[in-house]
Amino acid sequence: MRPSLLNPLFASVQTLPGVGPKLEKLYRRLLGRDDGARALDLLFHLPTGLIDRRARPKLADVVAGTVVTVDVLVEEHRPPPPNRSRLPYRIVTSDETGTLTLTFFSARPEYLEKLLPVGQRRYVSGTTALYDGHLQMVHPDRIVDEEGFAKLPLLEPVYPLTEGLSENNVRRAAEGALAKLPVLPEWQDQDWIVRERFPPFADALRLVHRPLDPIDTSPDTKSWQRLAYDEFLAGQLALGLVRANTRKVTGRRSAGDGSLRAKVIKALPYQLTGSQTKALEDIVADLAKPERMTRLLQGDVGSGKTVVALLACAAVIETTKQTALMAPTEILARQHHKTIAAFAEAAGIRIALLTGRERGKERAVMLEKLADGEIDLLIGTHALFQDEVAFKDLALAVVDEQHRFGVHQRLALARKGEAVDMLVMTATPIPRTLVLTYFGDMDFSELREKPAGRKPIDTRTVDLERFEEVVTGVGRALADGRRAYWVCPLVEESETVDLANAEERFASLKKRFGKAVDLVHGKMKGADKDAAMARFASGETQLLVATTVIEVGVDVPEASVMVIEHAERFGLAQLHQLRGRIGRGSASSTCLLLYKSPLGETAKARLAVLRDSEDGFRIAEEDLKLRGEGDVLGTRQSGMPGFRLARLEFHGKLLQAARDDAALILARDPQLKSERGEALRVLLYLFERDEAVRLIRAG
Ligand code: ADP
Ligand code: MG
């Protein structure tokens, strides 16, 4: 049950001054609460700026275009001529340094005469503009006399609005909501609060709503940081509680004696990198525990995730259980199958491939073997979800390129076995802050190190006007025996147009370079795609014109040149993915980003980030700054719950601390029974994470 001290905050906004049933409807819209707006929602609706009445510049010092409050003498009324009431009503005012015209459209003269009597002083605030070289203000926000001005706050918050609600409505209601804030117990660690100089929660909320200085409206303030930290902690605690609970319910030990892993490692033509070894250790430790694993393996393109996945599978197969590896595209599933086949064979691991293309008798035989436990590792695409795919004993599911699959798909795979351990891998470098936010219920490992011997990719941005030079340059590379990708422009929302582009470019390059040129795109039949990839991988063809089908995971180490047309139309993360197709072998690689000028500032900045960095994590962070968080993962549409108070750009750094804090709290006081634990329950209710509280009770 919600602690009763919070009840006033969960009461309808109708309990606030000036809010009746009609306005309540508008608050529902403003606060995104279809089922009723509450005082709490308004408290969490933070101002985005403020009106500052402290400085009252002289008219000569007013900068046109800014919002000001000035102290002026009313000089003269200039009503529009009789039958031309469409024209504005102007009132000339002045101080000792200049004049200001106040302009009103369709105003009642009697009203204006009363509001602004000639010969009187008034305080006027609003947005200024220059009109015909004269300073003017159209429909001032406020006009008051000395007495009225004394009553106005010098600083007033500005809230985001919805049609029908005014700033004054929202300010009044927000004030009312602040007045309902109860005395809350402190749920944060006292030392931490002191060290960070955080005010108590209620004070912090009051300060953000009642700024004392323009600086107070920035998310950078201690007050706002405190609120964000509270929100993060509530979220991380809830995730921690959920996880503790699911772990208790399920889990089995699935890591063998290392014999198969040793055989695979022996068969590898290279040494594992330090990060690969570490990631594998993390995974095997998880597998060995009686708890269920949910781990994210995050590794930049080319960091070598596939072999880690294989070794994780090997560890499970050592216990004679089964494993699955799911890839988002057919090309990728086939490539994984091919890469893994040789090493698996060396270790005696029985693998099979299942995509939409495996059909008929062969497929039936394979499925039968799977059900009998005669296949140790099944590699495939979405086809793995299908009902007729049944394992004898699936114990580990690896999902490659996690962000392309929904959570429900991940779960569908998990249901194919009992307490299936999950390893999800992503090459989309998800910023750490986002991992914590969205995958907070997962542990994660990173492959930050690239395999030895990789040379940096020389990336250049080139104006499309120099297209001819680029083609000539590619010709030289081909003559040197190098292999190149040519990625065709992305045309928004239209695969058909993309395709037309690729086909056109293919035709023109083929004219120039003949048989060395090939084409691969998403609409090709699976077998044709494979054949094209195989020709390119073997060196039979040298220049592969492609749509973004090659974006994900394709591995042809000999390719060392990439041209991307209309790079400005691609997302940064996507460009990084694409570029990751080269620079995988020992040759030095070149990537040319062709853009159409003129480029906007942001577009320029984005391409520069890519040109100057190969660190996927940095690129992703920059991308995040330039784009906003939801886009990076494409999660905005899928309804991933966002934050109400925290802003990732400003507060992301606090997330790690909140996560550590939550882990520590739950280790010491898993039932939240201590004094601080009780206070933390209030926090969980306040941020509506109370499902987690219910779990404590059940457990
Ligand atoms: P990604 O993490 O992008 O999926 P892959 O698993 O496709 O990367 O590996 C990229 C390339 O690096 C492959 O050609 C693979 O054989 C090679 N590779 C993986 N690990 C190592 C290593 N430790 N040393 C050298 N090459 C490696
Ligand atoms: Mg991969």
Side-chain angles (χ1 to χ4, degrees), residues 101-127:
T101 305
L102 308 178
T103 305
F104 299 85
F105 291 91
S106 36
R108 283 184 298 121
E110 318 82 75
Y111 169 74
L112 291 177
E113 273 154 25
K114 227 175 125 207
L115 191 65
L116 291 152
V118 172
Q120 301 265 323
R121 303 197 74 80
R122 287 291 181 267
Y123 291 89
V124 178
S125 51
T127 310

Side-chain angles (χ1 to χ4, degrees), residues 270-273 276 300-306 451 454 555 584:
Y270 48 76
Q271 291 253 301
L272 293 180
T273 64
Q276 283 171 323
D300 205 351
V301 286
S303 58
K305 292 182 293 298
T306 317
R454 296 275 162 81
D555 187 32
R584 301 186 146 230

Side-chain angles (χ1 to χ4, degrees), residues 254-420:
S254 316
D257 57 5
S259 55
L260 291 180
R261 273 168 279 162
K263 284 184 191 159
V264 172
I265 289 171
K266 202 160 154 239
L268 294 176
Y270 48 76
Q271 291 253 301
L272 293 180
T273 64
S275 347
Q276 283 171 323
T277 307
K278 173 72 175 63
L280 188 64
E281 274 167 15
D282 291 346
I283 294 165
V284 170
D286 279 356
L287 291 171
K289 282 187 212 154
E291 290 138 13
R292 191 168 177 167
M293 171 173 85
T294 317
R295 184 171 283 277
L296 180 69
L297 175 61
Q298 185 181 286
D300 205 351
V301 286
S303 58
K305 292 182 293 298
T306 317
V307 68
V308 176
L310 171 60
L311 288 165
C313 290
V316 172
I317 298 164
E318 285 160 14
T319 67
T320 71
K321 299 187 192 105
Q322 290 172 297
T323 60
L325 168 58
M326 187 168 72
T329 65
E330 177 149 353
I331 289 189
L332 204 52
R334 276 175 203 282
Q335 180 185 290
H336 280 331
H337 182 256
K338 206 173 114 221
T339 315
I340 286 172
F343 310 126
E345 194 180 332
I349 294 172
R350 298 162 295 179
I351 67 171
L353 178 69
L354 180 69
T355 72
R357 237 197 306 151
E358 276 66 42
R359 284 172 213 271
K361 181 126 184 297
E362 236 171 284
R363 177 191 170 97
V365 170
M366 200 268 287
L367 288 176
E368 211 164 287
K369 280 189 176 172
L370 189 71
D372 287 344
E374 286 165 34
I375 288 168
D376 303 312
L377 166 56
L378 180 63
I379 299 164
T381 55
H382 293 80
L384 298 194
F385 300 135
Q386 292 161 351
D387 281 340
E388 72 262 35
V389 179
F391 292 78
K392 177 155 185 255
D393 186 9
L394 177 66
L396 170 67
V398 184
V399 181
D400 198 8
E401 305 296 340
Q402 136 85 20
H403 68 288
R404 304 200 163 222
F405 294 102
V407 174
H408 58 284
Q409 291 175 307
R410 212 167 84 204
L411 293 176
L413 194 56
R415 276 196 292 274
K416 295 210 174 270
E418 190 197 321
V420 176

